[in-house]
Amino acid sequence: MSEEEAARETWLRQVELRAERPYTLLYLSTHGQLLHLDARRAFVAGAWASVIVMCQAIIEATLRDLHFKDYEVKAKELFFNQEDLERLRILRNQLVHPSPPGTPSEIWTVPNGDSAVCHAALEAHARWAYELMLEAVYSGRE
């Protein structure tokens, strides 16, 4: 493991093991557990877009499988107007659905579409998405 990957793994552990949150309970559906493993691996690898997509999918899977048992309604409706969940959903959509040039985006923030710079800028979004996923999925579990 490189130093960079080790630092990312350390960050993940610190976020997951915060004393005020019982993250170790892993209150996820089996679908959510599988996605969570992938999100962790993507984070350590620095695959920022994948982390964002996976975190949104984990939240959605958990809501569908364990809370609402609703597999038909759109994610936007599942997120019951929570601003942060809606922001994550929009960010995920910007990653997986191309838009015409000139469309406002949190993904393409650098002029001339410099992919490497835009990808590096996604790290902050990925960290936020991972923390939001933990909060959304595990908060309040005893």
Side-chain angles (χ1 to χ4, degrees):
M1 184 178 286
S2 73
E3 279 186 45
E4 205 169 58
E5 290 169 331
R8 291 179 190 140
E9 180 66 36
T10 298
W11 183 87
L12 285 172
R13 286 186 186 147
Q14 289 171 348
V15 168
E16 292 169 348
L17 295 176
R18 286 185 181 154
E20 70 272 16
R21 298 281 187 257
Y23 296 133
T24 56
L25 292 178
L26 295 180
Y27 190 72
L28 289 170
S29 65
T30 53
H31 194 92
Q33 288 174 359
L34 179 65
L35 296 176
H36 188 226
L37 289 172
D38 229 43
R40 286 188 106 267
R41 290 180 178 167
F43 190 94
V44 171
W48 309 127
S50 296
V51 171
I52 294 164
V53 171
M54 289 289 95
C55 287
Q56 191 274 340
I58 292 164
I59 295 168
E60 184 176 336
T62 299
L63 290 174
R64 287 187 190 285
D65 291 343
L66 299 179
H67 298 286
F68 298 121
K69 306 287 189 210
D70 188 335
Y71 300 94
E72 303 298 324
V73 71
K74 293 186 179 223
K76 183 174 185 163
E77 294 174 44
L78 281 179
F79 291 168
F80 47 91
N81 296 318
Q82 292 294 307
E83 188 176 314
D84 49 0
L85 297 179
E86 178 61 9
R87 180 175 167 233
L88 179 58
R89 188 189 68 78
I90 290 168
L91 189 62
R92 176 252 181 223
N93 284 351
Q94 289 177 8
L95 284 164
V96 299
H97 302 296
S99 296
T103 301
S105 172
E106 290 188 62
I107 306 306
W108 298 106
T109 57
V110 178
N112 302 321
D114 186 329
S115 298
V117 174
C118 288
H119 182 266
L122 287 176
E123 181 177 357
H125 291 298
R127 287 177 184 269
W128 169 79
Y130 198 88
E131 288 187 280
L132 176 62
M133 179 271 298
L134 292 174
E135 180 69 24
V137 173
Y138 300 116
S139 67
R141 299 285 167 226
E142 302 286 335

